C-alpha cells in the first residue's frame, strides 16, 4: 500500500464463505472429485468459516454426523442447493418436492436459512447434449414463475427457509433480459435472487447494475469471475458450459470480470446482511489445485474489506 492509499472500507454486512464447487465438486459422487473430508479440512485451513452443502449427498446427509464434522472444524452451513425444472409444469411438482424436502430438512437441521435454487439445464452438464429448447414459451414462463412462488411459499411454511434463485449459464434464467423477466413475474415476498457474479457476467449481465436496480431482490451472493478472452471464444463458438469450464472460463480473482470490489460495495450499500460465497467452477481439476487458489482468494477478498 502506498503512503496516500486508504484501506478498503469494511464490508460489515457481507459474510464470506466458500463451497464444494471451488474444490471441483459438481456431483454427489464422482471419482474425479476429492473426498469430502479433504474439502472440509482445506476450506477451514484456507480461512473460511461459512460453507454450502454442495450437491446433496457429497457431504454426510446425517445431521448429527455433519454437525460433528463441521463444528470441530469451526464451520457453519449457510445454505443448501436444489435443482428444479418447474418450467415443465405442475406434473413435475411431486418429484421436485421429494428432492427439495431432503435438502431442506438437512439445511434446516444445520441451522442455515437459505436454499439456493438452480433451474434445470437445457444442455447436459457432462455430455453437452441438447436436452430441450434454450428458450421458453409464454406458458413455460408462467409455469416457472408460479412454480417458484409455490416453492418459496411451501419451503418457508414447512421448513422456515428462504429460496434464492440462481441465474446460471445454460439455463432459462441467464441473461439480463431473462433475469428481469423472472423477477418482474414473481412475488418479492416469496422469491429472491442468488446473484452469481460469474454466471451473470458469462451471460452478458452487469452485477452492479442488477444490485442497484433490483436491490430488494438480492438475497444471497456467489462470488465468481470469468476470463474475458476465454469467454469471448466460448460465446463465438457456442461452447456449452461444461466444456467452457474445462477451458478455464471461470478464473481466479482478481484476474477476470466482473471486478469484485465494486460488486461488494454495491451489496454493502443495500444495508442488509448477505452471504457472499466464493465459487470457482473447476470440475474436473487436479486434487492439489483448489486449496492454494482458495487461500489466495480469501486474502484478496480481505483486501477488498470483506
Amino acid at each position: 500500500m502506498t503512503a496516500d492509499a486508504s484501506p478498503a472500507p469494511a464490508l460489515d454486512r457481507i459474510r464470506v464463505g466458500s463451497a464444494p464447487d471451488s474444490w471441483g465438486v459438481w456431483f454427489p459422487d464422482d471419482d474425479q472429485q476429492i473426498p469430502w473430508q479433504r474439502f472440509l479440512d482445506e476450506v477451514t485451513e484456507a480461512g473460511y468459516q461459512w460453507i454450502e452443502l454442495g450437491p446433496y449427498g457429497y457431504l454426510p446427509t446425517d445431521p448429527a454426523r455433519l454437525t460433528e464434522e463441521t463444528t470441530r472444524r469451526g464451520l457453519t452451513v449457510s445454505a443448501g442447493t436444489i435443482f428444479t425444472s418447474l418450467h415443465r409444469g405442475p406434473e413435475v411438482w411431486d418429484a421436485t418436492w421429494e428432492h427439495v424436502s431432503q435438502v431442506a430438512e438437512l439445511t434446516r437441521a444445520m441451522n442455515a436459512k437459505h436454499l439456493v435454487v438452480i433451474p434445470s439445464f437445457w444442455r447436459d452438464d457432462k455430455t453437452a447434449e441438447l436436452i430441450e429448447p434454450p428458450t421458453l414459451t409464454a406458458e413455460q414462463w408462467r409455469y416457472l414463475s408460479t412454480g417458484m412462488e409455490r416453492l418459496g411459499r411451501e419451503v418457508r411454511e414447512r421448513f422456515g427457509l428462504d429460496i434464492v434463485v440462481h441465474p446460471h449459464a445454460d439455463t432459462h434464467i441467464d441473461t439480463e433480459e431473462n433475469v428481469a423477466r423472472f423477477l418482474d413475474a414473481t412475488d418479492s415476498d416469496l422469491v429472491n435472487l442468488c446473484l452469481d457474479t460469474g454466471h451473470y457476467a458469462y451471460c452478458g449481465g452487469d452485477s452492479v447494475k442488477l444490485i442497484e436496480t433490483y436491490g430488494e431482490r438480492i438475497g444471497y451472493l456467489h462470488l465468481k469471475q470469468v476470463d474475458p478472452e476465454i469467454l469471448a471464444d466460448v460465446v463465438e463458438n457456442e461452447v456449452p458450459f461444461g466444456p467452457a469450464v474445462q477451458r478455464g472460463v471461470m478464473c481466479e480473482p482478481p484476474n477476470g470480470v466482473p471486478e469484485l470490489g465494486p460488486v461488494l460495495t454495491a451489496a454493502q450499500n443495500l444495508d442488509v446482511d448477505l452471504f457472499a460465497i466464493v465459487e470457482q467452477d473447476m470440475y474436473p481439476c487436479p486434487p492439489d489445485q483448489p486449496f492454494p487458489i482458495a487461500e489466495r482468494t480469501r486474502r484478496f477478498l480481505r483486501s477488498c474489506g470483506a
Side-chain angles (χ1 to χ4, degrees):
M1 182 180 294
T2 61
D4 58 341
S6 57
L11 302 172
D12 58 359
R13 305 304 296 267
I14 309 296
R15 292 169 286 183
V16 171
S18 193
D21 183 61
S22 293
W23 268 257
V25 175
W26 274 10
F27 305 100
D29 185 28
D30 187 290
D31 58 11
Q32 297 188 84
Q33 298 174 169
I34 66 169
W36 61 266
Q37 296 93 333
R38 180 171 177 178
F39 160 68
L40 292 179
D41 288 341
E42 291 190 351
V43 74
T44 303
E45 190 176 348
Y48 298 93
Q49 296 178 319
W50 296 95
I51 60 166
E52 290 184 2
L53 294 176
Y56 182 77
Y58 175 67
L59 295 177
T61 56
D62 174 66
R65 185 180 185 197
L66 185 55
T67 298
E68 177 187 356
E69 295 286 354
T70 53
T71 300
R72 69 185 180 87
R73 294 174 172 89
L75 295 171
T76 305
V77 174
S78 62
T81 301
I82 59 176
F83 296 84
T84 61
S85 303
L86 294 172
H87 68 284
R88 294 176 186 164
E91 63 269 20
V92 303
W93 176 261
D94 289 344
T96 300
W97 187 251
E98 182 179 0
H99 163 63
V100 169
S101 297
Q102 284 185 314
V103 181
E105 191 70 56
L106 180 58
T107 302
R108 178 175 64 179
M110 299 307 296
N111 296 314
K113 301 299 181 185
H114 295 89
L115 278 184
V116 177
V117 182
I118 300 180
S120 58
F121 286 25
W122 44 264
R123 278 195 283 219
D124 185 272
D125 52 3
K126 276 194 169 180
T127 68
E129 177 188 0
L130 195 67
I131 299 170
E132 58 187 314
T135 57
L136 297 180
T137 65
E139 181 181 49
Q140 288 173 321
W141 271 109
R142 287 194 298 273
Y143 287 151
L144 177 61
S145 58
T146 58
M148 284 295 187
E149 288 178 335
R150 180 183 179 185
L151 186 67
R153 184 181 299 109
E154 302 252 0
V155 164
R156 182 176 296 166
E157 289 177 354
R158 300 196 191 191
F159 296 99
L161 306 175
D162 290 327
I163 68 166
V164 283
V165 179
H166 182 324
H168 197 293
D170 286 1
T171 76
H172 298 108
I173 306 178
D174 49 2
T175 62
E176 286 190 350
E177 178 184 4
N178 285 337
V179 170
R181 180 173 182 173
F182 174 73
L183 290 175
D184 291 343
T186 49
D187 185 343
S188 61
D189 288 336
L190 299 171
V191 179
N192 284 306
L193 213 63
C194 169
L195 169 58
D196 184 303
T197 60
H199 280 279
Y200 201 52
Y202 185 104
C203 298
D206 181 330
S207 289
V208 171
K209 177 184 173 184
L210 183 66
I211 293 170
E212 292 176 345
T213 306
Y214 286 97
E216 75 283 358
R217 305 298 296 275
I218 307 299
Y220 201 91
L221 296 173
H222 279 171
L223 301 181
K224 188 180 297 182
Q225 287 189 324
V226 295
D227 181 311
E229 291 186 6
I230 297 176
L231 179 62
D233 181 68
V234 163
V235 171
E236 181 180 353
N237 293 292
E238 299 183 350
V239 178
F241 180 66
V245 167
Q246 294 180 33
R247 295 186 184 191
V249 71
M250 297 297 180
C251 64
E252 178 182 344
N255 301 325
V257 296
E259 188 179 351
L260 292 181
V263 173
L264 291 166
T265 298
Q268 171 75 17
N269 289 340
L270 296 177
D271 202 28
V272 296
D273 292 329
L274 286 173
F275 285 107
I277 304 300
V278 177
E279 283 197 331
Q280 182 183 341
D281 290 286
M282 292 193 290
Y283 176 87
C285 66
D288 294 332
Q289 180 176 330
F291 175 69
I293 293 175
E295 275 196 313
R296 291 192 296 267
T297 301
R298 189 68 191 94
R299 286 197 298 270
F300 165 71
L301 292 172
R302 284 195 181 100
S303 76
C304 295

